Amino acid sequence: MIIWNRDQRSTDYEELKTKLRPGHSDYPAMIKYKGHNDYRGGGRFSGRLTATLVMGGAIARKLLGAALDVQTHSYVSQIGKVAMGKRFTEKMIPDIYGNDVRCPDPEAAALMRAAILGARRDMDSLGGMIESVTTGLPVGLGEPVFGSLESDISSGVFSIPSVKGVEFGSGFAGSESTGSQNNDTFVLRDGAVQTRTNNAGGILGGISIGMPLTLRVAFKPASSIPREQPTVDIKSGKDAVLSVKGRHDPCVVPRAPPVVDSVVALVLADHALLGGFIGPVL
């Protein structure tokens, strides 16, 4: 598979040859690759490259669905300080792509859209949160210690540009609970062992337990903004001011649900194949 990028404007990035973008990877890339990094559009660090994750992820999602009836659905749950007011349910899945923001709560989606447009007017940007739910997983995917499901999913998700945090189940909020509050007690439902709650996010000891796999992914605000910011010009060796030109999103989060879906699916497909849950694929 290949995607040709036929709509580029390299001249928009000319100033970035020598001026470092605050919040962007320009500086470490310049040092690491000794000036051979491509400043046009961010080069190897561009969000455009997530298209390749979606290409592979589309195959992984089909494989998981056909072989194990595993389904992954990611959606925008928060933009800036605007968060969903409803708890996500299976009935809301068709609504994820029912608006530009990819939030299954229409009322929250309208407020999120207004917040994004407000940031654009202010020549600024916003971050946000993606939540992901995977259902149909068998018990036993993952390995303890280095091959844990949480470790591998986190590693994959952190390969998505702008991601700064990942949490599973109750996540950081669970650190404020007691054991009796956070423990998921076991129960038999139709002869199958399940848990009454899902604070573990479907994973214990790095291994899937058959409950929905839930995670949240935090995205920082886009660093390329038109608002003037102080920086350094490495050519002149002096302080400088930079206003980033070009076509840059004031918020990348609405573009991210299919990327998170894809990364999660790629990791789960790997574990399903390695663990023998799916036979050899020819």
Side-chain angles (χ1 to χ4, degrees):
M1 295 184 284
I2 188 168
I3 300 173
W4 295 104
N5 182 13
R6 304 190 189 280
D7 184 24
Q8 68 274 13
R9 297 179 185 173
S10 297
T11 54
D12 288 342
Y13 301 93
E14 203 63 27
E15 194 174 9
L16 304 181
K17 274 185 177 180
T18 61
K19 291 184 178 180
L20 304 175
R21 274 178 290 182
H24 205 278
S25 59
D26 295 338
Y27 173 64
M30 190 179 297
I31 299 301
K32 182 176 177 65
Y33 299 111
K34 299 176 174 59
H36 294 289
N37 60 299
D38 194 343
Y39 64 88
R40 299 167 300 172
R44 181 63 185 84
F45 303 91
S46 171
R48 297 174 185 85
L49 297 188
T50 58
T52 60
L53 296 175
V54 176
M55 290 160 72
I59 305 300
R61 294 183 76 186
K62 287 179 179 292
L63 175 63
L64 290 168
L68 298 174
D69 196 24
V70 169
Q71 304 292 328
T72 298
H73 298 285
S74 303
Y75 57 93
V76 174
S77 63
Q78 185 169 337
I79 296 291
K81 295 183 179 180
V82 181
M84 280 178 57
K86 299 178 182 178
R87 185 181 180 84
F88 181 77
T89 65
E90 190 174 344
K91 293 181 180 179
M92 300 169 74
I93 292 173
D95 298 326
I96 294 175
Y97 289 89
N99 54 71
D100 295 339
V101 185
R102 292 174 177 169
C103 171
D105 180 346
E107 294 179 4
L111 295 174
M112 291 174 183
R113 186 175 188 276
I116 293 171
L117 293 176
R120 170 175 281 171
R121 286 192 299 271
D122 292 339
M123 296 189 294
D124 216 330
S125 61
L126 287 173
M129 193 85 68
I130 299 287
E131 297 197 15
S132 181
V133 180
T134 300
T135 57
L137 285 175
V139 179
L141 264 69
E143 302 292 336
V145 192
F146 298 111
S148 85
L149 215 50
E150 289 150 317
S151 300
D152 288 352
I153 290 174
S154 296
S155 178
V157 168
F158 274 115
S159 72
I160 304 171
S162 295
V163 169
K164 281 296 184 181
V166 179
E167 64 177 5
F168 294 82
S170 61
F172 289 100
S175 67
E176 301 175 2
S177 304
T178 62
S180 59
Q181 293 170 329
N182 198 62
N183 285 345
D184 300 308
T185 55
F186 291 102
V187 62
L188 286 172
R189 292 195 178 109
D190 299 323
V193 176
Q194 296 185 0
T195 56
R196 295 182 188 277
T197 53
N198 193 25
N199 291 318
I203 303 172
L204 288 172
I207 300 171
S208 63
I209 62 173
M211 294 294 288
L213 191 161
T214 63
L215 65 145
R216 284 173 294 281
V217 184
F219 285 76
K220 70 172 185 176
S223 56
S224 296
I225 59 175
R227 179 180 291 194
E228 287 191 347
Q229 296 183 97
T231 187
V232 169
D233 188 317
I234 58 169
K235 184 177 182 180
S236 67
K238 297 179 180 179
D239 291 335
V241 174
L242 176 65
S243 171
V244 179
K245 301 177 178 61
R247 298 167 292 176
H248 301 284
D249 292 331
C251 184
V252 301
V253 184
R255 296 187 183 274
V259 184
V260 175
D261 279 341
S262 298
V263 169
V264 171
L266 285 165
V267 174
L268 293 177
D270 276 350
H271 276 276
L273 289 165
L274 291 168
F277 291 89
I278 300 176
V281 179
L282 301 178

